[in-house]
Amino acid sequence: MPERLFVQLVNMSLTASWVIAVILAVRALFGKMRLPKKYAYYLWIIPGFRLLCPVSVSSVISLFNLRFFKGTGPAGTPAMSPAVMDRGTAGNPAFAVGVSGLDRMLQASLPAETPAVSMNPMQPVLRAAVIIWLAGVAVLGIAGLVSWLRLKKMVSVAVRRERNVYECEKIPSPFVLGLFHPRIYIPYRLPEKEREYILLHETYHIRRGDCFVKVLGYLVSVLHWFNPLVWTAYFCMGRDMEMSCDEKILSVMGMEIKKEYSLSLLSFAANKRGYFAGPLSFGEKDAGKRVLHVLNFKKPGSLAAAGGILLLVILAAVCLTDGKKEGGPEGADAPAGKTEESREVQPEAEAEGNASPGNETDGQLPEFARVRDRIVQQGLLLNQPLAFGEAVDPEDGDAVVRMAESADGVYAAYGFISPEYGSRGICLRNYQGADEHLNYVDAGWVNAYEEPRLAVGDYDGDGEEEVAFAFVSGSGTGVYVETLLVFETDETGHMYPNEMTQERQEEEIGRLLETRVNADAKTLELVDKGTGETVIGGISYGNGEEQAEFIGMDYSSQIRYSVGEDIFLFVGAGVFTDMSPMPELSEDNVAFRVRFHNPENGSGGRFTLEDPARGVFGVSAQAGTVFDETAVLIPGENVARIEITNGNTGSVSSITDREILEKVLEAYRELDIRPNGELKVRSGYSYRMELFDKKGNRLQSVVPYKDAVMIDGQIYDGSMNRTTTDLLLALAEAVT
């Protein structure tokens, strides 16, 4: 992680170096044009942004569109490739600073690819560079702190004269010290007239916020201490800051004070005798240049002011934006080892505006194509891939995870993991006879929760098989989202993904369902528009808040798919109220049958939904109908006693207290389970509970695990939610 941050910092510093060079040239031009120094001061905002912000937008007028910069980075900007720090044999490391001859020289100096080693040869060098950089940051940070403490000690005997103005006999010249409550320190016995404009100068520093600018500038310089241009920019910014304040004094008090003001600057400089105020304070520095500027200063006219503002705007547009992309990095358009069987495909849900399959730059970053090809070139698909859900840190290097495979082994899905993107990128492999075909999708995925599902079927009724692939693409607090891709395969073995997008889901759900609200009872029901029948009724909202008002429905926070001979979509019904920005999710899901319509070109297929019904996630493979978990669970009112067996000690607790019973039964009723024929019955457990009625008849035996529940010897999957864990916790609490 520190290595990656350091590489990013170096990239930002390289880019900012060119901007600083431009600003220095323009600053000199400003001097020739005799523009006020405040415009030169404002110029330093531009490189400051480049040194702090790692991202920018592209534009046609960017400095980095010049031919000089072409090919130096992903957006036409100079960059050091992260390949210098990736593990594995990622090819020759790439280094680019914006000059082709220098790029070649640096490239030749880097170690060549070494397939036999597991770590890039640049990794130790990079780690040493990080250590040196951190040491420099620490030294300069401590130096700044020591300077500040020394000044605080020096002015500890200062006497307050008025407001935030203090007199001190130990200082030879005025300065400002402090950030949130800055103080002005002046020497004793300053002449009244001189004191007046010196205080005006320092007060203007404070009012303009120069205190924060100076500290921020120093911190940025410390972070980029290895770049001499950054320090040059810092000191030039400080000089422009002081001179712009001088100009302000002359504008306010009149040009007739030029002589007296200049003499004051010279006298302060003569009295310093090695005195150093420190990088975080304002003092009367660079007296010689400032005196010349004061004596030559003329109040600018409106034309000069307009010209300065116009130049600032133009420079901001030119230097703050990145160059337009004209394709991927060198070699991305024709990566080594890429064959006709390996094509880039982009998932699209609609035929309209569909990107052409095989075009690596349509709708996606060319950097992803580079990372993808690097992983494939390393042979990770040919080696033993990681199992889905296996813990892996993307910062450790490239990895491939086996996501799913068809029963006959013809189709298999793999997920890519890289330091650049984390879990992003999917490869669909298929065999046609002895020929292997690799097809790619640029999509993010989650290496946890429910395993991806891959099924083969004729989903559009054209007599040809398609591949349905469902995987988790988003998760978080109250959010669980899956993505569905249906692949068409042509005669060459290329597979074209068609995505069921969120927009299409919402459009179809709006076509099928309507909401009827009872504002008095704070309930609503979902009704099938076609039949008028209630799909889910009595959905409460507001969480007991009398003032809560219904705003709308959310069908995007809980999305799950079941793929097999048919495809089903299960959507959690969420209710938006004016009391909370987050939707209140109902315990019930709405189940839809998903229909896929074959496009003529194999990509951009359309999806429609049918048969809305109340459902709980899971589809019976035999009946092809929605699994209803309420048919498995015992109604709570029938339960009079629960016996809980501790699987570790064998002790049995009999629970009859109704309050405790209700807590356990509430967790029991919340179970979100579904059949899964691949799950094996388990032995061993933490807690087992048996339900009994009033007559002592045993109703059911339930053994919850973290990701499943065994009911009367039948195992049910519960890995996509926490309800099984909640039941375990409720049982543990009941016996303590």
Short mmCIF file of all heavy atoms in Angstrom, two decimals, residues 480 509 526 536 553-560 569-575 583-592:
data_model
loop_
_atom_site.label_atom_id
_atom_site.label_comp_id
_atom_site.label_asym_id
_atom_site.label_seq_id
_atom_site.Cartn_x
_atom_site.Cartn_y
_atom_site.Cartn_z
N TYR A 480 -27.50 -5.36 -1.30
CA TYR A 480 -26.97 -6.60 -1.86
C TYR A 480 -27.47 -6.66 -3.30
O TYR A 480 -28.65 -6.82 -3.55
CB TYR A 480 -27.47 -7.82 -1.07
CG TYR A 480 -26.80 -9.10 -1.49
CD1 TYR A 480 -25.72 -9.60 -0.78
CD2 TYR A 480 -27.22 -9.80 -2.61
CE1 TYR A 480 -25.08 -10.76 -1.17
CE2 TYR A 480 -26.60 -10.96 -3.01
CZ TYR A 480 -25.53 -11.44 -2.29
OH TYR A 480 -24.89 -12.60 -2.68
N ILE A 509 -40.38 -3.12 -13.82
CA ILE A 509 -41.14 -3.20 -12.58
C ILE A 509 -42.24 -2.13 -12.58
O ILE A 509 -43.38 -2.39 -12.17
CB ILE A 509 -40.22 -3.04 -11.36
CG1 ILE A 509 -39.30 -4.26 -11.26
CG2 ILE A 509 -41.03 -2.88 -10.08
CD1 ILE A 509 -38.22 -4.11 -10.21
N LEU A 526 -48.48 -3.78 -3.01
CA LEU A 526 -48.03 -3.81 -4.40
C LEU A 526 -49.03 -4.62 -5.20
O LEU A 526 -49.36 -5.75 -4.82
CB LEU A 526 -46.63 -4.43 -4.48
CG LEU A 526 -45.54 -3.73 -3.66
CD1 LEU A 526 -44.21 -4.47 -3.80
CD2 LEU A 526 -45.39 -2.28 -4.07
N ILE A 536 -48.06 -8.16 -2.88
CA ILE A 536 -47.69 -8.12 -1.46
C ILE A 536 -48.57 -7.06 -0.81
O ILE A 536 -48.64 -5.93 -1.29
CB ILE A 536 -46.21 -7.76 -1.25
CG1 ILE A 536 -45.29 -8.75 -1.95
CG2 ILE A 536 -45.88 -7.74 0.24
CD1 ILE A 536 -43.82 -8.43 -1.81
N MET A 553 -41.00 4.19 -3.89
CA MET A 553 -40.51 2.83 -3.72
C MET A 553 -39.07 2.71 -4.22
O MET A 553 -38.64 3.43 -5.12
CB MET A 553 -41.39 1.84 -4.48
CG MET A 553 -42.82 1.76 -3.98
SD MET A 553 -42.94 1.17 -2.27
CE MET A 553 -42.28 -0.50 -2.46
N ASP A 554 -38.35 1.78 -3.61
CA ASP A 554 -36.98 1.47 -4.03
C ASP A 554 -36.92 0.00 -4.41
O ASP A 554 -37.31 -0.87 -3.62
CB ASP A 554 -35.99 1.75 -2.90
CG ASP A 554 -34.61 1.21 -3.22
OD1 ASP A 554 -33.97 1.76 -4.12
OD2 ASP A 554 -34.19 0.23 -2.57
N TYR A 555 -36.44 -0.29 -5.62
CA TYR A 555 -36.29 -1.67 -6.08
C TYR A 555 -34.84 -1.94 -6.50
O TYR A 555 -34.60 -2.78 -7.35
CB TYR A 555 -37.22 -1.93 -7.27
CG TYR A 555 -38.68 -1.81 -6.97
CD1 TYR A 555 -39.43 -0.74 -7.43
CD2 TYR A 555 -39.34 -2.77 -6.20
CE1 TYR A 555 -40.78 -0.62 -7.16
CE2 TYR A 555 -40.69 -2.66 -5.91
CZ TYR A 555 -41.41 -1.58 -6.40
OH TYR A 555 -42.75 -1.48 -6.12
N SER A 556 -33.89 -1.24 -5.90
CA SER A 556 -32.50 -1.38 -6.34
C SER A 556 -31.54 -1.81 -5.25
O SER A 556 -30.37 -2.07 -5.53
CB SER A 556 -32.01 -0.05 -6.92
OG SER A 556 -32.06 0.98 -5.94
N SER A 557 -31.99 -1.91 -3.98
CA SER A 557 -31.07 -2.22 -2.89
C SER A 557 -30.87 -3.71 -2.67
O SER A 557 -29.85 -4.14 -2.16
CB SER A 557 -31.56 -1.58 -1.59
OG SER A 557 -31.56 -0.18 -1.70
N GLN A 558 -31.89 -4.52 -3.01
CA GLN A 558 -31.80 -5.97 -2.83
C GLN A 558 -32.18 -6.64 -4.15
O GLN A 558 -33.35 -6.72 -4.50
CB GLN A 558 -32.74 -6.43 -1.71
CG GLN A 558 -32.39 -5.92 -0.33
CD GLN A 558 -31.15 -6.60 0.22
OE1 GLN A 558 -30.94 -7.79 0.03
NE2 GLN A 558 -30.31 -5.84 0.90
N ILE A 559 -31.17 -7.09 -4.90
CA ILE A 559 -31.40 -7.70 -6.21
C ILE A 559 -30.67 -9.04 -6.25
O ILE A 559 -29.46 -9.10 -6.05
CB ILE A 559 -30.88 -6.79 -7.34
CG1 ILE A 559 -31.62 -5.45 -7.31
CG2 ILE A 559 -31.04 -7.46 -8.70
CD1 ILE A 559 -31.07 -4.43 -8.28
N ARG A 560 -31.43 -10.11 -6.52
CA ARG A 560 -30.85 -11.44 -6.60
C ARG A 560 -31.42 -12.18 -7.81
O ARG A 560 -32.58 -11.98 -8.16
CB ARG A 560 -31.14 -12.24 -5.32
CG ARG A 560 -30.66 -11.54 -4.05
CD ARG A 560 -31.10 -12.27 -2.81
NE ARG A 560 -30.72 -11.54 -1.61
CZ ARG A 560 -31.01 -11.93 -0.38
NH1 ARG A 560 -31.71 -13.04 -0.18
NH2 ARG A 560 -30.63 -11.23 0.66
N LEU A 569 -35.83 -13.28 -11.13
CA LEU A 569 -35.32 -12.10 -10.45
C LEU A 569 -36.09 -11.89 -9.16
O LEU A 569 -37.32 -11.92 -9.16
CB LEU A 569 -35.47 -10.85 -11.35
CG LEU A 569 -35.29 -9.48 -10.68
CD1 LEU A 569 -33.86 -9.29 -10.20
CD2 LEU A 569 -35.68 -8.36 -11.65
N PHE A 570 -35.36 -11.69 -8.06
CA PHE A 570 -35.98 -11.42 -6.76
C PHE A 570 -35.55 -10.03 -6.32
O PHE A 570 -34.36 -9.73 -6.20
CB PHE A 570 -35.54 -12.46 -5.74
CG PHE A 570 -35.99 -13.85 -6.08
CD1 PHE A 570 -35.26 -14.62 -6.97
CD2 PHE A 570 -37.14 -14.38 -5.53
CE1 PHE A 570 -35.67 -15.89 -7.30
CE2 PHE A 570 -37.56 -15.65 -5.85
CZ PHE A 570 -36.83 -16.42 -6.75
N VAL A 571 -36.53 -9.16 -6.11
CA VAL A 571 -36.26 -7.76 -5.78
C VAL A 571 -36.85 -7.44 -4.42
O VAL A 571 -38.04 -7.70 -4.17
CB VAL A 571 -36.86 -6.82 -6.84
CG1 VAL A 571 -36.59 -5.37 -6.48
CG2 VAL A 571 -36.29 -7.13 -8.21
N GLY A 572 -36.03 -6.89 -3.53
CA GLY A 572 -36.54 -6.44 -2.24
C GLY A 572 -37.34 -5.16 -2.39
O GLY A 572 -36.92 -4.24 -3.09
N ALA A 573 -38.50 -5.11 -1.76
CA ALA A 573 -39.35 -3.92 -1.82
C ALA A 573 -38.95 -2.96 -0.71
O ALA A 573 -39.10 -3.26 0.47
CB ALA A 573 -40.82 -4.31 -1.69
N GLY A 574 -38.43 -1.80 -1.09
CA GLY A 574 -38.03 -0.80 -0.12
C GLY A 574 -38.93 0.42 -0.20
O GLY A 574 -39.37 0.81 -1.28
N VAL A 575 -39.21 1.04 0.94
CA VAL A 575 -40.12 2.18 1.00
C VAL A 575 -39.33 3.41 1.44
O VAL A 575 -38.66 3.40 2.47
CB VAL A 575 -41.28 1.92 1.99
CG1 VAL A 575 -42.26 3.09 1.97
CG2 VAL A 575 -41.98 0.62 1.66
N PRO A 583 -34.03 3.55 2.32
CA PRO A 583 -35.33 2.87 2.22
C PRO A 583 -35.52 1.86 3.35
O PRO A 583 -34.56 1.26 3.83
CB PRO A 583 -35.24 2.17 0.86
CG PRO A 583 -33.78 1.93 0.65
CD PRO A 583 -33.09 3.11 1.26
N GLU A 584 -36.78 1.70 3.77
CA GLU A 584 -37.13 0.66 4.73
C GLU A 584 -37.49 -0.59 3.92
O GLU A 584 -38.45 -0.59 3.15
CB GLU A 584 -38.31 1.09 5.59
CG GLU A 584 -38.06 2.35 6.40
CD GLU A 584 -39.33 2.82 7.11
OE1 GLU A 584 -40.28 2.02 7.21
OE2 GLU A 584 -39.37 3.98 7.53
N LEU A 585 -36.72 -1.66 4.10
CA LEU A 585 -36.91 -2.87 3.30
C LEU A 585 -37.96 -3.77 3.94
O LEU A 585 -37.94 -4.04 5.14
CB LEU A 585 -35.60 -3.62 3.15
CG LEU A 585 -34.54 -2.93 2.29
CD1 LEU A 585 -33.21 -3.65 2.37
CD2 LEU A 585 -35.00 -2.85 0.84
N SER A 586 -38.87 -4.26 3.11
CA SER A 586 -39.88 -5.20 3.57
C SER A 586 -39.25 -6.57 3.77
O SER A 586 -38.19 -6.88 3.23
CB SER A 586 -41.01 -5.29 2.53
OG SER A 586 -41.85 -6.39 2.79
N GLU A 587 -39.91 -7.42 4.56
CA GLU A 587 -39.43 -8.79 4.74
C GLU A 587 -39.66 -9.62 3.49
O GLU A 587 -39.08 -10.69 3.33
CB GLU A 587 -40.14 -9.44 5.93
CG GLU A 587 -39.88 -8.76 7.27
CD GLU A 587 -40.63 -9.43 8.40
OE1 GLU A 587 -41.30 -10.45 8.13
OE2 GLU A 587 -40.56 -8.94 9.53
N ASP A 588 -40.52 -9.16 2.60
CA ASP A 588 -40.89 -9.93 1.42
C ASP A 588 -40.15 -9.45 0.18
O ASP A 588 -39.83 -8.27 0.05
CB ASP A 588 -42.40 -9.83 1.17
CG ASP A 588 -43.21 -10.41 2.32
OD1 ASP A 588 -43.12 -11.62 2.52
OD2 ASP A 588 -43.90 -9.63 3.00
N ASN A 589 -39.91 -10.39 -0.73
CA ASN A 589 -39.37 -10.08 -2.05
C ASN A 589 -40.45 -10.23 -3.09
O ASN A 589 -41.42 -10.97 -2.91
CB ASN A 589 -38.21 -11.02 -2.40
CG ASN A 589 -37.00 -10.81 -1.53
OD1 ASN A 589 -36.77 -9.70 -1.07
ND2 ASN A 589 -36.26 -11.87 -1.28
N VAL A 590 -40.29 -9.51 -4.20
CA VAL A 590 -41.15 -9.71 -5.36
C VAL A 590 -40.36 -10.55 -6.36
O VAL A 590 -39.22 -10.21 -6.69
CB VAL A 590 -41.56 -8.37 -6.00
CG1 VAL A 590 -42.57 -8.63 -7.11
CG2 VAL A 590 -42.14 -7.44 -4.95
N ALA A 591 -40.95 -11.64 -6.80
CA ALA A 591 -40.29 -12.55 -7.74
C ALA A 591 -40.84 -12.33 -9.15
O ALA A 591 -42.06 -12.17 -9.33
CB ALA A 591 -40.49 -14.00 -7.32
N PHE A 592 -39.94 -12.31 -10.13
CA PHE A 592 -40.33 -12.15 -11.52
C PHE A 592 -39.64 -13.24 -12.35
O PHE A 592 -38.51 -13.64 -12.05
CB PHE A 592 -39.89 -10.79 -12.09
CG PHE A 592 -40.43 -9.60 -11.35
CD1 PHE A 592 -39.74 -9.05 -10.28
CD2 PHE A 592 -41.62 -9.01 -11.74
CE1 PHE A 592 -40.22 -7.95 -9.61
CE2 PHE A 592 -42.12 -7.89 -11.07
CZ PHE A 592 -41.42 -7.37 -10.00
#
